[in-house]
Amino acid sequence: MALPITSLRVVSCALIALMTMPTFALAEPARQTIAVVPVTDGDGDERSREMAETVAGALRIATGHRIVDAKTSADIAAYHGMEAAVLSTRLAQAQEAIAEAKEHSFYFRQRDALSSLDRALGLLRQGGADAALSGPLSVDAQITRGIILKSRNEIDGARAAFAQALAVCPMLTLDAEGYAPSVIALFEEARQASLAAPTGGLRVTSKPPAAEVRINGLSAGVTPLLIENLPVGDYAVTIAADRYDAVSEDVTIAPGGQAKVRARLRWATSDGAPAKKAMAAAQVREGVRIAQLLRADRAVLVDAADGGALVVRMVDAQLAAGLKPIAIDDLSGDDRVTLMAELVRALARQTDADLARDPARQLDPVGMADPMVIARQKKPLHRQPLFWGAVGAVVAGAIAGGIVAAMSGGGGAHEGAVRVQFR
């Protein structure tokens, strides 16, 4: 999105203010390492990444702590796989074996790596495994196996491993930035060979539409969705949307046929507190896991929704507990920098809070407490704020500078309009 000249002037002014203003910091707290992590749940994932970078930049300026940037945190979390706490013992063991295989491969211990992958795949083939959870692990294991076999010049074995990954997720593609061209070419050969086998189709619809569809635990698109040339076999289909209860169904793809899944999603009302509690608990566990991987004291999970809402949750690794989440209802207005300044200020206070003094007031009992809400103004949906523009690191830095300037008292016309409410 191109920026108008006036916006560029605002950005320049914000950068100048950032360079000349005094650094905002709390009074000499112990220096901590804090990892800022975007939540990728299928709703506003790209915005979550943008917001996580912005929050990380603002925290880096506003506090004296070491801030691990959002991309590093996300890359490490993805490399080490999904959260083990939500898996069965067998699947958790499979995930651990896959992680071992990657470590062996990194140090060129290819034979040990293949042995670990064989153990992981053996665990995943055991009966009773939930395909929604075992699917992503199986794909990860087979892709890793294929890459290792190709490095050993065992081309047929590598092609067979890629074919097994495609059997779990026929829509799977390899990112050109993450894989060598020769690996991608071999993977595509396996795809073409799989299309020679009998196939069928799958049509998925939902009310409301635009719900995410996962096949065997991997994202396949949004409803309404039609997938053709799907290899015959059994698949686990899950349809989910933000603030709706997910629907799961097992389907069988027959040669030349078309399986149909029609889902009517139910609104997750306040009576659905157990689901909210489970989601909050999973986020806390994920935050602890990432903080431990990075040897950080705390993790900050940043979750932005497509509608403009933002929820930020800080997790303490030592206590394995989450602090009360901070939420902004709507970031689509002109006061977005002021709102973000208030959010970062609240985060800074949480960062240096003594949790042992008053845990009941500071900690969130695994999602049962309501979040603090920053402002409740509803903005017209047709407004397209600069905040969401993909304008690169310069604008992100300017926004962070503007946020810190607002934290330092430069509230301007919106000063005093933001209130933090504890509910």
Side-chain angles (χ1 to χ4, degrees), residues 41-43 206-213 223 238-247 265-268 279:
D41 56 3
D43 179 22
S206 70
K207 290 186 179 180
E212 183 190 21
V213 179
T223 58
T238 302
I239 304 99
D242 187 41
R243 297 178 179 86
Y244 288 86
D245 293 328
V247 173
L265 303 181
R266 296 183 178 275
W267 183 256
M279 182 180 297

Side-chain angles (χ1 to χ4, degrees), residues 201-222:
L202 173 66
R203 183 182 296 275
V204 184
T205 57
S206 70
K207 290 186 179 180
E212 183 190 21
V213 179
R214 288 184 173 269
I215 297 179
N216 289 344
L218 291 104
S219 181
V222 297

Side-chain angles (χ1 to χ4, degrees), residues 96-394:
E96 183 178 354
I98 294 170
E100 287 178 0
K102 291 178 179 179
E103 182 177 356
H104 287 314
S105 177
F106 182 81
Y107 290 106
F108 302 101
R109 299 191 294 261
Q110 308 293 36
R111 185 174 299 176
D112 292 336
L114 291 172
S115 177
S116 295
L117 288 173
D118 287 342
R119 185 169 75 255
L121 290 168
L123 290 164
L124 294 170
R125 291 190 191 102
Q126 292 180 20
D130 184 348
L133 295 177
S134 66
L137 292 175
S138 297
V139 168
D140 191 10
Q142 294 290 4
I143 293 297
T144 303
R145 182 179 179 83
I147 292 172
I148 292 173
L149 290 174
K150 184 183 178 303
S151 71
R152 291 162 58 96
N153 205 31
E154 298 179 25
I155 302 303
D156 289 342
R159 190 182 291 111
F162 291 150
Q164 289 295 323
L166 287 164
V168 177
C169 182
M171 301 76 58
L172 184 66
T173 58
L174 298 185
D175 187 355
E177 293 185 2
Y179 298 89
S182 59
V183 171
I184 295 176
L186 191 60
F187 182 84
E188 291 303 320
E189 287 181 22
R191 184 194 304 281
Q192 293 304 316
S194 70
L195 294 178
T199 62
L202 173 66
R203 183 182 296 275
V204 184
T205 57
S206 70
K207 290 186 179 180
E212 183 190 21
V213 179
R214 288 184 173 269
I215 297 179
N216 289 344
L218 291 104
S219 181
V222 297
T223 58
L225 178 67
L226 173 62
I227 302 175
E228 298 176 323
N229 297 322
L230 197 62
V232 299
D234 298 327
Y235 296 88
V237 179
T238 302
I239 304 99
D242 187 41
R243 297 178 179 86
Y244 288 86
D245 293 328
V247 173
S248 297
E249 186 172 329
D250 294 331
V251 299
T252 299
I253 305 299
Q258 184 183 91
K260 296 181 180 180
V261 177
R262 299 183 180 91
R264 181 180 293 274
L265 303 181
R266 296 183 178 275
W267 183 256
T269 63
S270 57
D271 294 333
K276 290 176 64 178
K277 179 178 178 181
M279 182 180 297
Q283 284 198 356
V284 170
R285 291 192 298 268
E286 180 69 0
V288 170
R289 182 180 77 92
I290 293 172
Q292 290 174 343
L293 287 172
L294 293 166
R295 298 185 179 179
D297 300 286
R298 294 184 180 181
V300 175
L301 304 177
V302 181
D303 189 4
D306 284 326
L310 176 69
V311 178
V312 178
R313 180 188 298 275
M314 181 174 289
V315 175
D316 186 279
Q318 183 177 3
L319 296 177
L323 282 72
K324 291 184 178 180
I326 307 168
I328 297 177
D329 282 347
D330 188 6
L331 265 175
S332 62
D334 295 333
D335 57 351
R336 56 191 173 272
V337 172
T338 307
L339 293 174
M340 283 298 299
E342 185 69 13
L343 182 143
V344 173
R345 186 182 289 114
L347 269 179
R349 287 196 296 267
Q350 285 189 340
T351 298
D352 298 309
D354 185 353
L355 303 180
R357 258 186 204 178
D358 194 356
R361 183 167 176 253
Q362 299 284 352
L363 299 181
D364 175 18
V366 196
M368 292 301 291
D370 287 332
M372 316 189 276
V373 177
I374 300 179
R376 289 192 169 276
Q377 301 98 324
K378 297 297 182 183
K379 307 298 180 184
L381 294 178
H382 65 273
R383 296 170 79 171
Q384 299 295 324
L386 170 64
F387 193 85
W388 298 123
V391 293
V394 173

